[in-house]
């Protein structure tokens, strides 16, 4: 009989841990609004999730804001440089498209 009691204690502890975890998850779901739950499940959605503070903040804005904080942004200086290069390239493409769209002047 004592062997069954020694097995019952770890099984009961495991059941308590699992049920406690389920209860915590349920409380978190009820405390979050429906938009927050949806954005937490879909990482590529319009509303960013995670450690970004502003609701409408893009990844670029987040990196630019935290580029000097170690552990928050991996190699932030390189990412900021890449974002600057991308922005310059986008401006060059926009200018080239405008020049291609406008007719050449006739002499």
């Amino acid at each position: 009989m004592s062997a069954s009691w020694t097995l019952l204690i770890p099984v009961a502890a495991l059941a308590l841990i699992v049920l406690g975890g389920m209860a915590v998850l349920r409380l978190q779901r009820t405390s979050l609004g429906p938009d927050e739950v949806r954005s937490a499940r879909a990482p590529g959605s319009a509303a960013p999730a995670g450690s970004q503070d502003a609701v409408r903040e893009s990844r670029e804005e987040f990196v630019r804001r935290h580029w000097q904080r170690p552990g928050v942004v991996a190699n932030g200086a390189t990412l900021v440089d890449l974002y600057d290069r991308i922005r310059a390239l986008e401006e060059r493409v926009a200018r080239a498209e405008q020049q291609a769209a406008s007719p050449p002047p006739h002499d």
Side-chain angles (χ1 to χ4, degrees), residues 30-43:
T30 58
S31 68
L32 294 176
D35 293 335
E36 293 172 357
V37 172
R38 196 174 328 122
S39 66
R41 289 184 184 163

Side-chain angles (χ1 to χ4, degrees), residues 1-68:
M1 182 82 160
S2 89
S4 65
W5 283 107
T6 56
L7 288 177
L8 183 64
I9 292 172
V11 169
L14 182 63
L16 249 167
I17 291 172
V18 169
L19 291 175
M22 289 172 55
V24 167
L25 285 176
R26 178 170 281 166
L27 285 172
Q28 286 177 344
R29 284 186 193 149
T30 58
S31 68
L32 294 176
D35 293 335
E36 293 172 357
V37 172
R38 196 174 328 122
S39 66
R41 289 184 184 163
S45 64
S51 61
Q52 295 178 344
D53 295 331
V55 175
R56 302 279 185 223
E57 184 177 37
S58 70
R59 289 179 190 235
E60 178 182 355
E61 292 165 344
F62 179 81
V63 168
R64 287 187 185 279
R65 193 162 48 95
H66 294 291
W67 74 275
Q68 291 179 329

